Amino acid sequence: MSTADQSPAARRRGRRPAGQDTRAALLTAARDVFAESGYEGATVRAIAARAGVDAAMVNHWFGGKEGLFAQAVLKLPFDPQIMVTTLLEGGLDGLGARVVRQFVTTWDATSGGTFPALVRSLASHDQAAAGLRDFLVKHILGHIVDRIQADEPHLRTNLCASQLIGIGMARYVAKFDPFASADVETLVAAIGPTLQRYLTGDLGLTDQP
């Protein structure tokens, strides 16, 4: 059978000749599908179909949906699972400082990346809010809290998320000075202990009657 006789579906199956073109097509398709369906509603199959490639290409290039969301929407230059493992390697002591340092350093490298646009869309686009919440809470902070087996895991995770989103808002969106221009280690020293308490400390909760 000649190439001309192949169906469109057959022609687009498998890896494209130019690998980077496949990767770029997946990123473009992912941004659209995540925007339309949110993180939970978007499927690897739907994204691959939109890009015109096999679903296996998502794992090949990004390691799965988490990695694709990180690079397509949040544009995080790291694999979430690897980052969680790296942050926990130093043990519980200083974990809050390491989390703050990791996020601020990463965002600073791209002047906030897509974070400002993502945050600005939170109030008016449910998908953006759901995507940020699901990714940050469930797939990064949630994994950290689960791994350290802390009490009140859901509350701790949300407290940490509120702190990190607040950093992003003040530093890259509202650009409050001197917060926006402070060096990373100044923020780590000031905010790290708060995040550490959220992760491992006493939250001051009292038993309800």
Side-chain angles (χ1 to χ4, degrees):
M1 182 185 298
S2 67
T3 302
D5 294 331
Q6 293 178 353
S7 68
R11 286 199 300 271
R12 69 171 181 254
R13 285 185 60 82
R15 184 174 176 180
R16 293 182 178 182
Q20 290 300 325
D21 288 345
T22 298
R23 185 178 186 279
L26 282 169
L27 287 171
T28 298
R31 293 187 191 104
D32 292 341
V33 175
F34 282 129
E36 294 167 4
S37 305
Y39 183 86
E40 293 298 331
T43 66
V44 167
R45 186 177 298 277
I47 293 168
R50 182 76 62 94
V53 300
D54 283 346
M57 290 296 98
V58 173
N59 287 330
H60 174 79
W61 283 106
F62 305 101
K65 188 169 76 167
E66 291 182 22
L68 181 55
F69 184 85
Q71 295 189 42
V73 179
L74 299 183
K75 292 189 175 181
L76 301 178
F78 53 75
D79 181 284
Q81 295 181 358
I82 293 175
M83 188 191 75
V84 169
T85 299
T86 300
L87 288 171
L88 291 171
E89 283 178 349
L92 295 183
D93 289 343
L95 177 58
R98 293 195 298 275
V99 171
V100 174
R101 184 180 294 109
Q102 175 70 61
F103 274 86
V104 176
T105 300
T106 299
W107 283 331
D108 275 5
T110 56
S111 299
T114 58
F115 187 84
L118 184 62
V119 169
R120 290 189 183 102
S121 69
L122 293 181
S124 58
H125 294 83
D126 290 342
Q127 295 93 339
L132 182 59
R133 180 180 63 249
D134 290 343
F135 184 77
L136 187 60
V137 172
K138 290 185 179 179
H139 299 286
I140 295 183
L141 296 171
H143 286 330
I144 291 175
V145 171
D146 286 345
R147 293 268 290 274
I148 65 178
Q149 297 183 327
D151 65 324
E152 300 292 341
H154 298 300
L155 177 59
R156 291 182 185 276
T157 300
N158 278 270
L159 287 171
C160 291
S162 70
Q163 193 72 49
L164 292 175
I165 292 173
I167 292 172
M169 285 286 293
R171 192 166 176 86
Y172 310 111
V173 181
K175 297 184 179 180
F176 294 149
D177 261 327
F179 191 95
S181 58
D183 63 85
V184 174
E185 291 307 313
T186 295
L187 298 183
V188 170
I191 303 171
T194 298
L195 211 66
Q196 185 73 35
R197 184 172 70 84
Y198 288 164
L199 288 166
T200 64
D202 181 6
L203 298 180
L205 301 179
T206 58
D207 293 334
Q208 297 296 320

